[in-house]
Amino acid sequence: MWYHFINDKPNKYYLDSAKKVAKKWGFKIVYELGSGANSDEDKQRKVISKEKSIPLFKCLTKNYGENWRNKFREEVKIEINQ
């Protein structure tokens, strides 16, 4: 599970497309939304989200290489344009 913290106004098309690509890759994304104020609480929540996602990141690195995020983003762009 990828716990993805977002502190700005999210792009719905990107989020929906990322969920579809994640499903193809065999994992789920849980979006955790911040206040948008970049408060200390938001910063802390971002760190916690990242820490909870470390096991998945290790697995993705093993399966897709160190640049898995770039590969993932490229697939999301393709999904958006379909």
Side-chain angles (χ1 to χ4, degrees):
M1 184 98 43
W2 182 357
Y3 298 92
H4 188 64
F5 184 80
I6 300 171
N7 200 27
D8 295 326
K9 184 177 178 184
N11 178 325
K12 181 179 175 358
Y13 297 109
Y14 183 89
L15 300 183
D16 291 344
S17 295
K19 281 186 174 184
K20 288 179 185 178
V21 172
K23 187 175 180 179
K24 290 179 196 175
W25 282 32
F27 67 93
K28 290 184 180 183
I29 299 177
V30 173
Y31 295 110
E32 299 180 344
L33 303 177
S35 67
N38 202 26
S39 65
D40 287 340
E41 181 182 345
D42 286 336
K43 291 175 186 175
Q44 184 178 18
R45 289 178 60 209
K46 182 177 182 177
V47 169
I48 292 168
S49 293
K50 186 174 181 180
E51 288 173 352
K52 291 190 302 187
S53 301
I54 288 174
L56 173 68
F57 295 163
K58 287 180 181 179
C59 181
L60 292 172
T61 300
K62 181 179 176 183
N63 291 333
Y64 296 97
E66 289 292 328
N67 64 343
W68 68 266
R69 284 182 192 259
N70 291 336
K71 293 175 186 176
F72 185 81
R73 286 185 194 116
E74 287 302 315
E75 285 195 36
V76 171
K77 287 179 188 177
I78 292 167
E79 181 68 35
I80 289 170
N81 292 319
Q82 289 185 6

